[in-house]
Amino acid sequence: MSYTPMGNRVIAWSTVIGVIFAVIGLVLRPVNIDFAVGAFLLALGGFGLAGYGLLERLVLRLPSSKR
């Protein structure tokens, strides 16, 4: 089984989902704070997944030290 890093589409979709839930949270904030907090937590998860994918790609680009 070989390891493959996250694809560009997964990173982009995670970012889009994060933005969508952040906007939903901002819209729901005056109406219902409980749903707004839930939307912000989902947005945080989407941004976290995208950030992990970008960090993973950055680490894979670093030269590995061979001893």
Side-chain angles (χ1 to χ4, degrees):
M1 181 176 199
S2 65
Y3 175 76
T4 56
M6 255 189 210
N8 289 336
R9 283 187 176 181
V10 175
I11 294 171
W13 276 109
S14 298
T15 305
V16 168
I17 288 171
V19 168
I20 289 171
F21 279 115
V23 169
I24 289 171
L26 285 173
V27 170
L28 287 178
R29 192 171 51 105
V31 178
N32 190 341
I33 193 68
D34 293 333
F35 289 125
V37 169
F40 281 129
L41 288 175
L42 288 172
L44 187 64
F47 288 137
L49 188 62
Y52 173 78
L54 291 175
L55 182 65
E56 180 183 36
R57 289 187 173 268
L58 177 70
V59 168
L60 288 176
R61 286 183 186 214
L62 295 175
S64 61
S65 60
K66 296 183 180 183
R67 297 178 188 207

